[in-house]
Amino acid sequence: ALPQSERIDLHLDERAAPLRDDYRVGFTYSDCFVDDARLVVLTARDAADRGAIVRTRCECQHAKREDNAWVLSLESHDTTETVRARTLINSCGPWVRSFLDRIGVPSRHNVRLVKGSHIVVPRLYEGDHAFLLQNTDDRVTFVIPFHDQFTLIGTTEVAVTDAHNPQCSDEEARYLCDAVNRYFRVPVTVDSILWSYAGVRPLFDDGSSKMSRVTRDYALELDVHGAPILTVFGGKLTTYRSLSEKAVDKLRPWLPEAGPTWTATAPLPGGDMSATQAASLGEELARAHSAVEPATLRALLRRHGSRAREILEACGGDLGAIRAGNLTDQEAAWLVEHEWAKTDEDLLWRRTKAGLSSLVRDPDGR
Ligand SMILES: Cc1cc2nc3c(=O)[nH]c(=O)nc-3n(C[C@H](O)[C@H](O)[C@H](O)COP(=O)(O)OP(=O)(O)OC[C@H]3O[C@@H](n4cnc5c(N)ncnc54)[C@H](O)[C@@H]3O)c2cc1C
């Protein structure tokens, strides 16, 4: 169980050391965290292990109903393929509504596109705790330890009309620095930003006038004028399993072979062990592969859990040269074979965050 929330005196609690003296009272709470990119790719890996066909870099160009089935036109690189399906789930995120419009399916719902940006700076403080800072505009800003040497600061809420290629603007970067500087002793400047990234939230449009008040809940809409199509409006990673089970429940009449729901406690690939077992696996692998750098082994365990053993055994413990950060040749080969990695960007920024190592500045700030 996670520890209970507490009220703390910020002048007495050493975790509050980075904060300015103006603040006296704080509250603590404990939560879990996840690496979102690993969660998504391991969910896809799990589906593939259970028989799903996963296609990355593949766009559904068009879909039409024909004889109680969907006929989809899929395009990847320069090949187009036609497939038939009994049911179709539209989970195109920011593009859910435009996809429905493209295939001519009417809908009562829409999404509000809200950009959120993050900045990454050199690590601001020691410890594995995060800060949640109250802003002057009713929003909160988080400050989170990020991959050992960095601190992640986010996020913003900016209404956008186009979800392609979102970027953190100068204004958003300044907003995030200001939010931190209201509380932290050592100021964060725009010059200290090493990396930034942005995404677009497809929030279910509940008609709220204020963006921070728009629901983070989701709606599932089923259209059965012919073969069924289920559309997912909104949602969160946090609730992805219950959302998916509800989606399957809605489609049960067309999927009679679907068994009872089972995902609530099922581990993802590599997650089939407790925290204690994970610690002993780490010790066991360190003993068996003493030539592997401890930091490389830690990264392998963090990304692959119990599958780290398979990766090490497959190469006889010789992980090869370091590509970047703590990514080795053999892990890269695993990511290509098992996790659909195709480009350097996939390897360095999506399947891992090994690319962050290129951002570390020397003491002169270069
Ligand atoms: C800044 C930000 C912060 C967030 N923070 C949190 C958080 O702290 N906790 C949390 O739980 N959630 C958070 N979320 C929300 C979370 O990221 C989303 O709920 C989640 O990504 C939704 O997943 P999805 O698969 O439905 O949609 P998406 O992740 O948007 O994926 C949709 C996919 O569909 C693809 N696609 C679109 N059209 C087509 C087509 N025609 N053919 C094939 N593919 C297509 C797109 O390329 C995309 O890959 C955050 C989101 C953002 C942007």
Side-chain angles (χ1 to χ4, degrees), residues 36 40 58-61 91-96 99 102 114-118 142 155-156 198-202 232 234-239:
D36 51 357
V40 171
C58 171
E59 181 177 359
C60 177
Q61 285 275 335
S91 59
C92 290
W95 297 275
V96 276
F99 183 73
R102 189 196 293 184
V114 180
K115 181 170 60 144
S117 294
H118 300 78
F142 62 71
T155 66
T156 57
V200 173
R201 307 174 184 90
V232 180
K236 300 215 42 117
L237 286 174
T238 325
T239 49

